[in-house]
């Protein structure tokens, strides 16, 4: 069992000793280590059971030290930083020699993010090293949006979970590669293509990969998966193969009459796409723990963060 509290002094001590600490962010909880400590970073990979070819995002308090870690930073970085940071966006930039190859899985690019959660920011401000942090879930499983989610799965392997409440956004950061021409959107998140296009009026390509050799290896097609089967097929068609009580439904805003109310989770009764994102991973976990055989997910609108939710659903099904 890990301790769950808000003790950033203890968190700092653990990180300085080369240990891991689970940290709250506005997107999902992260599993943090000193990015410059090879042993500590090695622990991230072993605790998560994560393959070493999957690179890690570096978390910083603000841009004041960015030139220690990146080089040839394009001016659009500062435009996007001023518009969205601290916030749910990660930038791929050319790395400098100070970033270990272990962090980038050998790539010459490093992902940098400036998270918004107040407690995590207080901790980052106290540290004199950058923090590497992937989502704090076992590799391939649903990302955690509450301290208890981390405790349920990794509590036996870490000492401290900093409790910053529920992650306000609930889906991982948008990842954008600023080293390519045109620049590329690698992972959809809370900051949409439209949001970015409002700030910079240059070409922007969406590059969502699902091949075996993606630019962002963690974006493998099979990801974010519950243990139970997940389906977007119609409930009617599922009822040919399953009984009513074998099906759990994650609904957008309304109950269906086809399944008992107790087996249904409503993402957003008021029809707010951001609220749907906030509940999405949590409800996927809740459904996964029900005594059912298959989880049905209703179609989600694709506006704003809805594009990112739909992307997660496709990867979870793959
Ligand atoms: O919102 C987030 O970004 C959360 C919170 C904790 O900050 N972090 C997160 O990390 O989602 P992770 O490791 O679960 O997913 C980040 C993905 C990696 O799987 C990897 O594909 C991609 O970012 N990535 C990181 N560094 C990269 C690099 N140098 N080149 C290409 N892709 C990279
Ligand atoms: Mg992850």
């Amino acid at each position: 069992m890990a301790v769950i509290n808000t003790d950033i002094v203890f968190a700092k001590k653990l990180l300085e000793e080369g240990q891991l600490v689970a940290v709250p962010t506005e997107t999902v909880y992260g599993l943090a280590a000193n990015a410059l400590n090879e042993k500590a970073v090695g622990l991230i990979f072993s605790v998560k059971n994560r393959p070493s070819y999957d690179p890690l995002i570096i978390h910083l308090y603000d841009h004041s030290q960015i030139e220690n870690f990146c080089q040839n930073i394009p001016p659009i970085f500062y435009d996007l930083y001023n518009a969205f940071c601290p916030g749910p966006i990660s930038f791929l930039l050319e790395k400098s020699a100070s970033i270990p190859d272990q962090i980038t899985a050998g790539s010459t690019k490093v992902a940098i993010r400036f998270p918004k959660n107040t407690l995590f920011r207080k901790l980052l401000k106290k540290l004199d090293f950058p923090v590497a942090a992937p989502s704090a879930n076992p590799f391939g499983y649903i990302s955690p949006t509450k301290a208890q989610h981390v405790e349920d799965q990794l509590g036996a392997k870490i000492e401290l979970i900093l409790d910053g409440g529920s992650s306000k956004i609930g889906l991982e950061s948008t990842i954008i590669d600023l080293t390519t021409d045109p620049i590329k959107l690698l992972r959809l998140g809370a900051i949409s293509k439209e949001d970015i296009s409002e700030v910079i009026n240059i070409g922007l390509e969406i590059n969502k990969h699902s091949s075996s050799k993606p630019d962002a290896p963690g974006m493998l097609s099979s990801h974010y998966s519950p243990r139970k089967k997940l389906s977007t097929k119609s409930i009617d068609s599922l009822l040919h193969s399953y009984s009513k009580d074998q099906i759990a439904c994650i609904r957008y805003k309304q109950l269906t009459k086809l399944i008992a109310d107790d087996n249904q989770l409503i993402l957003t009764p008021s029809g707010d796409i951001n609220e749907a994102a906030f509940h999405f991973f949590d409800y996927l976990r809740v459904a996964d723990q029900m005594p059912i055989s298959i989880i049905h997910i209703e179609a989600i609108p694709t506006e704003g963060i809805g594009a990112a939710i739909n992307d997660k659903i496709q990867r979870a099904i793959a």
Side-chain angles (χ1 to χ4, degrees):
M1 253 183 48
V3 177
I4 303 179
N5 63 29
T6 58
D7 188 350
I8 52 173
V9 175
F10 185 39
K12 176 170 187 264
K13 177 171 172 283
L14 290 173
L15 291 174
E16 285 170 350
E17 288 172 2
Q19 301 202 55
L20 304 185
V21 174
V23 293
T25 89
E26 77 282 20
T27 58
V28 300
Y29 273 70
L31 187 62
N34 174 351
L36 306 181
N37 179 329
E38 198 179 325
K39 263 196 177 160
V41 174
L43 276 178
I44 292 181
F45 287 96
S46 59
V47 163
K48 268 187 69 96
N49 199 13
R50 177 180 176 113
S52 59
Y53 60 72
D54 195 357
L56 303 173
I57 299 176
I58 296 286
H59 297 66
L60 298 175
Y61 178 75
D62 64 18
H63 71 73
S64 60
Q65 285 176 42
I66 186 125
E67 296 193 356
N68 298 344
F69 306 119
C70 303
Q71 51 194 358
N72 297 323
I73 301 168
I76 49 166
F77 162 76
Y78 293 97
D79 296 336
L80 293 169
Y81 179 93
N82 289 331
F84 302 122
C85 296
I89 184 164
S90 299
F91 304 97
L92 271 195
L93 293 163
E94 199 179 308
K95 88 177 192 71
S96 73
S98 64
I99 295 291
D101 285 340
Q102 184 195 23
I103 294 289
T104 63
S107 169
T108 55
K109 304 175 191 181
V110 62
I112 307 273
R113 157 157 149 72
F114 309 88
K116 191 164 187 171
N117 177 276
T118 316
L119 191 63
F120 188 22
R121 273 174 65 72
K122 277 189 188 152
L123 173 62
L124 284 172
K125 202 167 181 188
K126 286 180 178 289
L127 302 175
D128 55 11
F129 47 82
V131 166
S135 51
N137 51 289
F139 185 69
Y141 194 65
I142 305 162
S143 302
T145 55
K146 295 178 176 174
Q148 189 60 45
H149 293 163
V150 183
E151 169 63 20
D152 291 346
Q153 291 192 298
L154 301 181
K157 298 181 177 175
I158 58 176
E159 230 176 287
L160 174 65
I161 301 168
L162 275 186
D163 190 354
S166 292
S167 295
K168 288 208 165 80
I169 290 170
L171 292 185
E172 290 87 345
S173 60
T174 300
I175 302 180
I176 188 166
D177 188 343
L178 300 184
T179 70
T180 55
D181 184 13
I183 60 174
K184 280 186 199 149
L185 206 50
L186 296 186
R187 181 169 72 179
L188 301 177
I191 293 177
S192 67
K193 181 174 190 249
E194 293 70 33
D195 295 335
I196 293 169
S197 299
E198 272 179 31
V199 176
I200 46 168
N201 65 9
I202 59 171
L204 169 60
E205 204 172 88
I206 295 198
N207 186 20
K208 296 187 288 167
H209 21 220
S210 52
S211 73
S212 57
K213 202 172 170 295
D215 289 351
M219 310 282 310
L220 297 171
S221 51
S222 169
H223 226 67
Y224 313 104
S225 311
R227 312 244 183 269
K228 300 269 167 63
K229 230 178 133 166
L230 190 67
S231 178
T232 50
K233 290 192 186 130
S234 73
I235 297 173
D236 275 325
S237 72
L238 293 181
L239 284 169
H240 292 302
S241 317
Y242 298 91
S243 69
K244 271 192 183 188
D245 51 4
Q246 283 179 304
I247 304 173
C249 290
I250 298 181
R251 306 281 302 165
Y252 185 60
K253 58 187 261 194
Q254 265 169 340
L255 293 168
T256 169
K257 291 200 167 66
L258 297 172
I259 301 288
D261 292 4
D262 283 353
N263 276 18
Q264 301 188 49
L265 297 152
I266 307 289
L267 288 170
T268 171
S270 64
D272 170 355
I273 195 72
N274 293 317
E275 187 187 26
F278 174 79
H279 286 137
F280 178 67
F281 280 145
D282 187 26
Y283 286 5
L284 213 45
R285 276 173 190 261
V286 173
D288 205 21
Q289 283 155 19
M290 287 178 173
I292 46 96
S293 306
I294 189 162
I295 304 166
H296 172 262
I297 300 202
E298 189 186 18
I300 310 284
T302 52
E303 78 202 51
I305 198 170
I309 305 175
N310 280 287
D311 185 52
K312 307 290 172 205
I313 293 173
Q314 289 316 313
R315 288 175 202 279
I317 286 175

